Amino acid sequence: EAGVAQSPRYKIIEKRQSVAFWCNPISGHATLYWYQQILGQGPKLLIQFQNNGVVDDSQLPKDRFSAERLKGVDSTLKIQPAKLEDSAVYLCASTVKWASDEQFFGPGTRLTVL
Amino acid sequence: AQSVTQPDIHITVSEGASLELRCNYSYGATPYLFWYVQSPGQGLQLLLKYFSGDTLVQGIKGFEAEFKRSQSSFNLRKPSVHWSDAAEYFCAVANNAGNMLTFGGGTRLMVKP
């Protein structure tokens, strides 16, 4: 079974630039999550989708971050414009349905903002 | 809102010694509790989870955890640590709707030969 795919694996940008990350969850998984993991911290949930609807985005900085999951399959997370404090690993995860199910994590995208 | 505290940022144990990683949670009802492991260069992997029933749960790689409601704790244990267990360990809690997985800050485990 293929795992959660993410691209790119690494990205370096300057502050105020834009960046987008892509995630393809495990086939058949209804729920998709984006997390931000700052160095030395645990992952922080940014947004949770179930199919193509948003379940929770209370911790997403909506003035600069946006995410979509068209057709309920793959998803894109965008930052526009980026700030220095956005430097982190962005993790995508998916579950069959609920967060109480096992979450399968992708390898992450490491973002460095200069 | 739920929260998770992992009091130990770093722990070093000798290979073959026993291990206990602490986790305290805050949540008004019975939570869903998880332990994940993150090895260098690898993604997060589920070790074990607790929803209800027996408060001692067994996981992969010889790990177990005990849910203690009175102490709001869900500590992870392993009787004999292997060098390959060196990694970062995260405790996490989801609410009883099965949403909003919240992670603790993690404990980095180092294993001495």
Side-chain angles (χ1 to χ4, degrees):
Chain A
E1 171 180 87
V4 176
Q6 290 187 249
S7 67
R9 292 294 311 278
Y10 304 91
K11 190 74 177 179
I12 300 174
I13 62 172
E14 306 224 336
K15 60 183 179 183
R16 292 187 288 273
Q17 286 187 321
S18 302
V19 65
F21 313 127
W22 174 83
C23 172
N24 190 27
I26 292 174
S27 177
H29 280 195
T31 306
L32 183 148
Y33 312 81
W34 283 102
Y35 291 89
Q36 180 192 58
Q37 186 175 20
I38 293 172
L39 187 63
Q41 299 181 19
K44 183 182 86 171
L45 180 66
L46 293 176
I47 189 167
Q48 176 181 339
F49 292 95
Q50 188 163 335
N51 298 312
N52 59 354
V54 176
V55 174
D56 182 78
D57 64 356
S58 58
Q59 300 189 97
L60 187 72
K62 299 181 187 64
D63 57 334
R64 297 184 301 106
F65 286 64
S66 63
E68 60 183 12
R69 192 185 182 197
L70 300 176
K71 302 180 181 178
V73 182
D74 55 354
S75 176
T76 303
L77 176 70
K78 296 179 182 177
I79 308 175
Q80 182 179 7
K83 294 185 175 182
L84 296 177
E85 58 261 35
D86 298 331
S87 294
V89 176
Y90 291 84
L91 296 167
C92 180
S94 68
T95 62
V96 174
K97 187 173 184 182
W98 303 113
S100 50
D101 299 324
E102 177 175 358
Q103 290 199 16
F104 292 86
F105 285 82
T109 296
R110 182 177 297 277
L111 173 67
T112 302
V113 182
L114 303 176
Chain B
Q2 66 263 33
S3 65
V4 178
T5 301
Q6 294 181 246
D8 305 303
I9 297 175
H10 294 100
I11 284 185
T12 300
V13 299
S14 297
E15 191 168 16
S18 64
L19 171 70
E20 182 168 28
L21 302 182
R22 296 185 290 163
C23 171
N24 294 100
Y25 70 90
S26 173
Y27 184 63
T30 299
Y32 294 97
L33 294 162
F34 307 80
W35 276 99
Y36 281 85
V37 61
Q38 189 173 39
S39 299
Q42 299 190 22
L44 284 150
Q45 181 184 23
L46 180 68
L47 287 175
L48 48 79
K49 59 185 178 182
Y50 171 80
F51 294 163
S52 64
D54 193 346
T55 57
L56 184 64
V57 293
Q58 302 297 320
I60 62 172
K61 303 184 181 186
F63 286 92
E64 66 178 27
E66 186 171 12
F67 171 60
K68 293 186 177 180
R69 184 189 303 275
S70 61
Q71 297 177 21
S72 297
S73 70
F74 188 57
N75 294 348
L76 182 72
R77 301 193 293 247
K78 187 170 185 178
S80 178
V81 169
H82 188 262
W83 63 267
S84 60
D85 293 324
E88 185 114 28
Y89 291 80
F90 293 95
C91 182
V93 59
N95 64 22
N96 59 6
N99 293 317
M100 285 292 294
L101 192 64
T102 301
F103 284 83
T107 297
R108 180 166 298 278
L109 173 67
M110 290 176 280
V111 181
K112 293 189 300 185

